Amino acid sequence: AIDVEGDTLKITGWAADVTKKGLASEVVVFYRDKPLFSGSTWISKGHVAAAFSEPAYMYSGFSFEIPAARAPQLAEHGLRLFALSDDGNATELGVLFVRIEKGAEGEYLVASNGKHFPVTAGALDGRIEAVEPDQAGTVVRGWAADLRSGARAERIVVLLGRRVVKETSPTESRPDVASGSATALECGFRMHFDAAPHGARQALESGKARIFAISTQGTATELELAAGPE
């Protein structure tokens, strides 16, 4: 994530060398194609190590704090992050969605590279189908795809207030909502949250939390929550 907190720019994430099964040697931040900051990974990321079944990724997290004045036009230009391996290879880290803004033509989601994704009703089909207990928290299930073109959503992003707090990609097969396209068949998603189911549903119903699907064409559609049990 990339957040501006007062006069400080805070950048957090993780990076690992998946070829050599180790940590990235360095993470470099670029602003307007010029190096802005560099640092190493040091924060514990147990979920990353567990997801890849690789204990070496445990300390793959990073958190950098930079004076915001060093990136005065962040919203327009964004940042690019690269992870360096021990042998000198560089890999650009994936673009993250950061926040939602309002403009003259409506709302738009802002990505970490400065790109804007306009919120367009009906650009994608889909819905939030269930908010259910899951271990010590809640799982939110749903699907999102462009059924006209047969393409699943590119990303699913969750906002709390104006900030994006979680994102994922749809990967679950859903032949019940799409047919004739291999990509649309994998338009289902599941996301775990630490909140209790009642609190998660209440946040979605009140609009405090919102879930958006991002299309491959660069537009965003807010997903509606299905009615809960009577």
Side-chain angles (χ1 to χ4, degrees), residues 2 7 9 12 19 28 51 53 64 75 92 110 114 125-126 135 137 152-153 164 166 186 201 207 217 227:
I2 299 175
D7 58 359
L9 182 63
T12 57
T19 300
V28 183
S53 299
F64 306 144
E92 185 167 9
V110 182
D125 307 288
Q135 298 179 0
R152 65 179 176 224
V164 174
K166 193 163 192 173
E186 297 177 347
R201 176 171 282 277
Q217 303 302 313

Side-chain angles (χ1 to χ4, degrees), residues 79-153:
L79 299 175
R80 299 178 70 187
L81 275 69
F82 291 83
L84 306 183
S85 64
D86 288 332
D87 55 8
N89 290 320
T91 300
E92 185 167 9
L93 301 183
V95 172
L96 301 174
F97 289 89
V98 181
R99 64 186 184 276
I100 193 167
E101 298 284 357
K102 283 189 177 181
E105 298 181 358
E107 293 182 306
Y108 55 87
L109 289 171
V110 182
S112 58
N113 61 356
K115 187 174 181 180
H116 293 178
F117 295 74
V119 177
T120 306
L124 284 169
D125 307 288
R127 65 189 307 182
I128 306 164
E129 295 178 305
V131 181
E132 303 170 329
D134 179 51
Q135 298 179 0
T138 298
V139 65
V140 175
R141 295 191 293 102
W143 65 275
D146 182 347
L147 297 182
R148 291 155 292 189
S149 66
R152 65 179 176 224

